[in-house]
Amino acid sequence: MWIHSENVILEIITEEPWSGVVCCLQNSGDGGEDAPRLARECEPLEQAGGDWAEDSVPQRRHQELQRHLAETVERLKELNGNQDLKTKVMKFELAKASSMPINQISNTSGSHLRVITGKLDLLLSGTAVVSGTRSTSVSDHPQGLLYVLHRVAERLVKQSEEEVGWNHAAVFPIAAVTVELWHRHPALGELLLAHLLSKCPYMGPVFPRPTPGQSQEDAFRILGYRFEDGRVENEDLFLQRMSGMARMYAAIISAPVPPSSGNKSHPHGMSHGWTWLMQVLDMEPMANVTPTVLFSFLEVAGNAMAIEYGDQLWELLDGLRKEYIPRIEKVSIPQQMGTVVRLRLFLEDCFVNREIPLPSGHLSEEFWKA
């Protein structure tokens, strides 16, 4: 069975002996099984999509975080499944108290973000907060704190997934609130990373591959695609979501250390971004996805990383443009070259000016004075 997207038809073959093989096919237009023609050679996903050694550091970290997320969901089953009216009302109020401030995150002013961060910090600290006309606290239930931690992490990632991909500037206030809360509540950071990698494993960086006997729907889902009514989501929408989450990660690692941190270090700073970039460039690229996440990451965090790492970063980027981009081109068909061209032009401009520009929408010092 062929899986149709608007621009291309994709097939993941999971039967032996072709387990873990991805074919990318051009749609000839009539939609029948004989319509697709091979746009490039089929190749093993570990070659088309990067290093996937099960004992690799990124893979072990990814598995650890996914276990943590699964365990959290399991621990919350009792609360989520409780039909007692009082418990349901309590859960509704906690959900509202955690969701409303996140929905109000914007680049209005620094004082506005401080108010939002303060509300969420009070909630996570066990202080009773007013939601609507009711007062609620995580101490109202033994699993209240875990419920709110999980929900806040999930909602912050959802904001990056659904808004940042098309509204790039929205990532900076979201990241600022995230880093401040992560500094104050480390358990939130672990759950946020777990949610982020469950939807965008490429920020691990992990490039998953299908397993023998796996359905095509499941195979696409582990790659990060949404799959509804027998159809995989449009490739442009998929890349937009991946870009939003890559930008979120980049904005987090490059955000300034919160003033409240004192002498403490950033909860997940630029060294993590440097490691991510090094690991990606050590993997075989995946068409469309690799240039998309690289461009999104560098456009947001590149300026801060250039200040932090100087010539080391420029040497790395020189290798990216001269050696790695040609490798991306080799695994890309003509319809996928737009993402490669965008990355190449960005790097060329940076090298011409010997500067990586500040990202549009970044929060300046003046912003925090307002």
Side-chain angles (χ1 to χ4, degrees):
M1 183 181 75
W2 302 106
I3 303 298
H4 295 262
S5 182
E6 280 191 21
N7 301 320
V8 296
I9 297 174
L10 302 171
E11 183 184 24
I12 294 186
I13 306 169
T14 55
E15 289 86 10
E16 298 290 357
W18 299 105
S19 174
V21 175
V22 170
C23 295
C24 182
L25 306 144
Q26 185 175 352
N27 190 349
S28 66
D30 62 16
E33 280 204 3
D34 295 329
R37 62 180 178 83
L38 282 172
R40 64 177 173 86
E41 295 290 331
C42 296
E43 55 189 330
L45 188 60
E46 62 267 24
Q47 294 176 3
D51 213 344
W52 205 82
E54 293 197 11
D55 61 346
S56 69
V57 172
Q59 183 61 26
R60 289 198 301 271
R61 178 62 171 153
H62 182 269
Q63 291 172 342
E64 174 189 334
L65 287 168
Q66 295 316 297
R67 281 195 299 271
H68 179 48
L69 182 58
E71 289 166 359
T72 300
V73 172
E74 183 65 29
R75 289 172 62 190
L76 289 172
K77 270 188 176 181
E78 179 185 347
L79 175 59
N80 288 327
N82 195 317
Q83 296 303 307
D84 174 70
L85 181 59
K86 183 179 178 181
T87 301
K88 290 175 72 173
V89 171
M90 179 273 302
K91 190 176 72 170
F92 174 77
E93 294 300 328
L94 285 177
K96 187 165 62 171
S98 57
S99 297
M100 287 181 64
I102 294 174
N103 292 338
Q104 294 168 356
I105 294 175
S106 70
N107 60 357
T108 303
S109 66
S111 59
H112 174 70
L113 289 188
R114 283 190 287 271
V115 169
I116 288 173
T117 305
K119 288 180 179 179
L120 291 169
D121 179 46
L122 287 174
L123 180 64
L124 290 167
S125 299
T127 303
V129 299
V130 177
S131 174
T133 59
R134 293 175 179 267
S135 176
T136 187
S137 169
V138 295
S139 60
D140 291 342
H141 191 278
Q143 295 174 320
L145 176 58
L146 184 63
Y147 176 78
V148 171
L149 284 168
H150 180 265
R151 186 169 181 84
V152 170
E154 185 179 40
R155 293 290 298 180
L156 287 169
V157 171
K158 187 175 182 181
Q159 289 286 97
S160 72
E161 180 186 21
E162 297 187 351
E163 181 180 1
V164 173
W166 60 269
N167 180 14
H168 295 171
V171 75
F172 298 103
I174 296 172
V177 171
T178 299
V179 171
E180 181 72 30
L181 291 174
W182 192 337
H183 161 66
R184 300 182 189 182
H185 308 277
L188 175 67
E190 286 292 286
L191 278 172
L192 184 136
L193 284 177
H195 277 289
L196 181 70
L197 296 187
S198 72
K199 296 191 172 188
C200 183
Y202 312 105
M203 301 315 297
V206 170
F207 292 82
R209 64 180 179 186
T211 56
Q214 192 171 38
S215 70
Q216 291 192 340
E217 179 174 347
D218 288 342
F220 273 106
R221 287 190 188 281
I222 69 165
L223 291 171
Y225 286 86
R226 288 174 174 169
F227 198 99
E228 297 178 1
D229 300 325
R231 295 175 68 89
V232 66
E233 74 176 309
N234 172 273
E235 184 76 358
D236 291 339
L237 293 178
F238 164 71
L239 293 175
Q240 180 175 285
R241 290 193 303 107
M242 297 303 109
S243 172
M245 289 181 279
R247 289 173 184 276
M248 174 70 161
Y249 188 73
I252 287 173
I253 65 101
S254 60
V257 177
S260 61
S261 66
N263 292 325
K264 291 184 179 180
S265 60
H266 194 295
H268 196 81
M270 272 190 281
S271 62
H272 292 276
W274 177 264
T275 299
W276 178 84
L277 188 57
M278 292 280 289
Q279 288 172 336
V280 170
L281 298 184
D282 196 40
M283 295 178 172
E284 291 298 326
M286 177 183 286
N288 262 347
V289 173
T290 299
T292 295
V293 296
L294 278 171
F295 170 76
S296 301
F297 178 87
L298 289 171
E299 189 175 49
V300 172
N303 178 272
M305 291 188 71
I307 294 172
E308 179 74 13
Y309 295 105
D311 289 343
Q312 284 182 287
L313 181 68
W314 286 106
E315 289 175 11
L316 194 66
L317 296 183
D318 195 39
L320 167 56
R321 66 169 178 159
K322 291 179 179 178
E323 299 175 17
Y324 198 69
I325 286 181
R327 290 167 60 187
I328 302 175
E329 292 172 335
K330 286 183 180 180
V331 300
S332 304
I333 60 173
Q335 291 87 342
Q336 298 167 326
M337 290 302 294
T339 55
V340 185
V341 171
R342 182 178 57 180
L343 175 61
R344 186 195 303 116
L345 291 177
F346 173 77
L347 289 172
E348 287 177 359
D349 286 344
C350 291
F351 274 91
V352 166
N353 299 310
R354 194 63 182 181
E355 179 185 37
I356 302 177
L358 276 167
S360 176
H362 78 282
L363 305 182
S364 65
E365 290 184 9
E366 292 301 314
F367 171 87
W368 291 106
K369 295 177 182 178

